[in-house]
Amino acid sequence: MAERLIISSSPHVMASDDVPKIMRHVIYALIPAVAGAVYFFGIRALFVILVSSAVAVLTEAIILAVRKKDVNEVFDASALLTGILLALTLPPSVSFGTVAVGAFISIAIGKQVFGGFGQNIFNPALVGRAFLQAAFPVEMTTWIPPRIMQKVDAVSFATPLGGFKFSHIMTSHKALLLGSVGGSLGETSALLILIGGVYLLWRKYLDWRIPVSAMISLVVLSGIMFLVNPSKYPDPIFMLFAGGFMLGVWFMATDPVTSPVHPKAVWIYGAGIGFFVVIIRLFGGMPEGVMYSILLMNAVTPLLERYTRPRMLGEEK
Amino acid sequence: MLTRALKAGVHPDECKFTAGSQIQQFECPERLYVPLQQHLGRKAKPVVKKGEIVKKGQRIGEADGFISANIHAPAGGKVKTIEKVMLPNGVFDDAIVIEVNLESGEVAEPTWPMKPLSELTPDDIRIIAREAGIVGLGGATFPTAVKLTPPDNVKIDTLIINGAECEPYLTADHRLMLERTEGIIEGAELVRRAVGAEKVFIGIEDNKKDAIQKFDELLKNKSGWEVVSLRSIYPQGAEKNLIKVVTGREVPVGGLPFNVNVAIQNVGTVYSIFRAATEGIPLVERVVTVSGDAVSNPGNFVIPFGTPAKLVLERCGALFDEIEKVIFGGPMMGMAIKGYDVPVIKSTSGILCFKRAVREKPKACLNCGKCVEVCTLNIAPTRVVKFIRAGKLEEAKNAGLLNCMECGCCAYICPSRIPLVQWLRYGKFMLRKMEAQK
Ligand code: SF4
Ligand code: SF4
């Protein structure tokens, strides 16, 4: 008879989803966007993604070892995910050195400085991206046309948002949806991002309220602006599909670590992202504002949580 | 018939393998270890001495105060001694050891009025519950007589009979509902009369369609009585949840069901009231589901209190060499026992044996919010636990710590495998300690 029975606190059963599994599925959901990047920008895109992922994972492993933590944590795949996400937000022509710096900063400054997994306030990939934007402003705003777009002037080539902001050129909704436009590696095709997003929705690995509230707030606000002055402001569908909005709200704003948990806070967080994207794009100096909007809402998340504790069952209304 | 569903909660694999096994009487062992603490409240005081001969059903422990319960001898025999035994929660406490005389069929005279059911007054019914040592058999083991005595200024309009049995594996209530349907209804009628309710709801989860049907057939034409079919989800059977689901009322934080004019009783409890009233037998045994992958002959058994787990498991063909964990109760809220000597008591709804205890190293909180999503009381467990870990007990309290019923949904769903319930218990303990010092 086994005399030593194991005793532990209830519950004695557990759901099958654990952290590594969730991270894995988020990575699967990025496969369409990664494939799109390779299709639109050639095999070099794959190397950018590989360099970014490898540096991210390596940085994580080294820091875990230095901090005397369990190095096996890298197999959570969360560093790998950060690496892939960072790569997808970079211009296709970015140099490998820049990619490596970005991936290093993402993990070292974006995540481990705060204490590692679960402790960071800002989305690590976006921290890396923001650093690169500041350190290499020209490289980070130099765009090349996708392979399927023929006969364009490669020197003055712009993204749809840039084209609109600086030269008032509209890009068709169809091109934005399919991805035959310029932009960062993983952001050009709204459709490919949506496929991954819907997969995660179906598996319930993504908080649907975040992309939904962000999209609603963006469409409503930019819709109002469009109605006020259609010749000056772009239409809401353009706003939705152009630039990094889809990639941002489906894959970065939904990063659980840096998004709120209280239901009301979640809605405000999502809506806030949509709001700031419209403000920055239409009234700011830059054509794009997804990254700053998400980082901004990441920053106010602790505050939001403090004031939105849900009403408990039986608590006074 | 009504159909209702709880919002939030979790749905673990039901594993109700014993749903088809008829209730069997478990043979009374030669020696019973009957603890004096089988209920919530004060421990009963022993009223028998070493060497005394007791009859079946004789009171051997006397309720100590209002919130306490009588303890009776599950079988006739001789009191061997009073000694400490380990209870399911791991605490050693006094138990009356009875050397059972299997030949003696003598049953003690009931200490409560024996009349036709229709003549029992509300006071008679309360006396029965009190004298027969009846406690809530759903798990909380709160003395039933107390629940049948609402304050004078409170009018109870609704009685809910709880047949949800939402814990995985457990089928004791299910079988009771199928095999003792009339007794449950008669017992419910007694409780209805005692609390003065006009409306009676019988809430049963829809993974027990046969039981729903059986009650519905018997109650269709009975005005004021209604069967509620509940979509299966855990923890629908928790009092506050079931009251909300069935009546839409919310028991105030820190309050009790009577605050919203509701009384709620488990099916096993009302059946034991019926049995005491008709057969004169106090609460000395209960239906227990024995199951799990380390048991070769699982089933539902009526087991006398004081029967050591070991005997039950031997009888059910437990694979002792392979067992890693034994749980008293269900897998969501039950307790893992430390040794096989722990006796079956009033709270033992199940004995589950598993070959593998789930053990996973907790990771840092991912802040995924799943625990918040599943908590039916709308507590944000991740935040409460973060406060506890940081020693901020006041904040934890403000965030709802004391409201938590330890249902386990949050820890069940947590992808970082954080033992949230353990932290919540620890937090409550520390908070009480802190407040006691003030
Ligand atoms: S479920 Fe676990 S990981 Fe997710 S927020 Fe709650 S405690 Fe954190
Ligand atoms: S916080 Fe308490 S009541 Fe809420 S799910 Fe966790 S254990 Fe259950």
Side-chain angles (χ1 to χ4, degrees), chain A residues 1-20 22-23 70 73 76 117-119 203-207 209 255-263 301-302 305-306 309-317, chain B residues 240 244 250-253 310 320-321 323-327 331-334 336-340 357-361 363-370 372 377-380 383 398-400 403 408 411-413 415-417 421-422 425:
Chain A
M1 192 183 291
E3 264 315 324
R4 273 212 266 126
L5 291 174
I6 292 177
I7 47 166
S8 61
S9 165
S10 61
H12 306 283
V13 283
M14 268 166 209
S16 67
D17 290 342
D18 57 12
V19 171
I22 295 174
M23 293 296 163
D70 183 3
E73 257 185 53
D76 278 1
F117 182 78
Q119 312 293 316
R203 301 287 309 223
K204 297 206 174 71
Y205 290 147
L206 176 146
D207 188 341
R209 296 169 296 187
D255 167 22
V257 176
T258 54
S259 60
V261 296
H262 289 160
T301 289
E305 299 268 55
R306 186 170 320 158
R309 178 168 75 70
R311 188 184 70 86
M312 284 184 276
L313 184 76
E315 202 176 8
E316 302 268 329
K317 291 199 178 144
Chain B
K240 289 183 177 187
K244 167 91 181 171
E250 292 187 10
V251 178
V253 168
K310 190 180 192 166
F320 285 105
D321 292 334
I323 295 177
E324 264 194 8
K325 199 182 220 182
V326 179
I327 299 164
M332 293 299 285
M333 284 189 83
I337 57 165
K338 286 196 188 119
Y340 294 105
V358 211
R359 269 173 302 183
E360 277 182 75
K361 221 175 115 213
K363 287 187 197 306
C365 171
L366 168 70
N367 203 43
C368 65
K370 287 201 191 292
V372 184
L377 302 183
N378 258 337
I379 298 167
R383 292 182 57 80
N398 294 336
N403 203 15
Y412 167 83
I413 206 77
S416 288
R417 305 304 192 214
V421 174
Q422 201 175 333
R425 282 199 195 113

Side-chain angles (χ1 to χ4, degrees), chain A residues 119-135:
Chain A
Q119 312 293 316
N120 48 303
I121 297 172
F122 299 104
N123 184 309
L126 290 181
V127 170
R129 173 87 172 54
F131 176 83
L132 295 182
Q133 182 93 48

Side-chain angles (χ1 to χ4, degrees), chain B residues 151-167:
Chain B
D152 288 338
N153 55 349
V154 171
K155 162 90 185 94
I156 300 289
D157 57 22
T158 305
L159 169 65
I160 299 173
I161 301 299
N162 188 348
E165 200 168 50
C166 54
E167 274 268 12

Side-chain angles (χ1 to χ4, degrees), chain B residues 384-393 423:
Chain B
V384 178
V385 168
K386 277 178 192 156
F387 287 138
I388 295 171
R389 293 175 93 149
K392 297 177 181 166
L393 295 174
W423 279 109

